[in-house]
Amino acid sequence: MKKIFITSYLAGTRAQFCAFMTKNNVKPGKILVITTAGNVEDYTGYIDEGKALLTSLG
């Protein structure tokens, strides 16, 4: 069974995301990120924060 973590603000849910990754034994590099609003919005700060979070986690 596949597990999914859905959030609209990844950086704002860092603790929950890390707990999900640990609980489900998800290895870095084995996740899929699907962007939505970031594809059409001028403001990308939330996306940049999410990228930074993922980079810091490997």
Side-chain angles (χ1 to χ4, degrees), residues 3-51:
K3 305 277 181 152
I4 62 173
F5 182 85
I6 299 174
T7 183
S8 61
Y9 180 34
L10 184 60
T13 57
R14 179 187 179 108
Q16 295 89 343
F17 178 69
C18 290
F20 175 85
M21 296 281 285
T22 301
K23 179 181 177 183
N24 293 287
N25 198 28
V26 179
K27 304 292 184 221
K30 298 292 182 183
I31 63 171
L32 170 68
V33 176
I34 301 171
T35 59
T36 53
N39 293 336
V40 297
E41 292 291 326
D42 292 330
Y43 177 75
T44 60
Y46 297 123
I47 296 169
D48 297 337
E49 291 176 18
K51 286 179 182 178

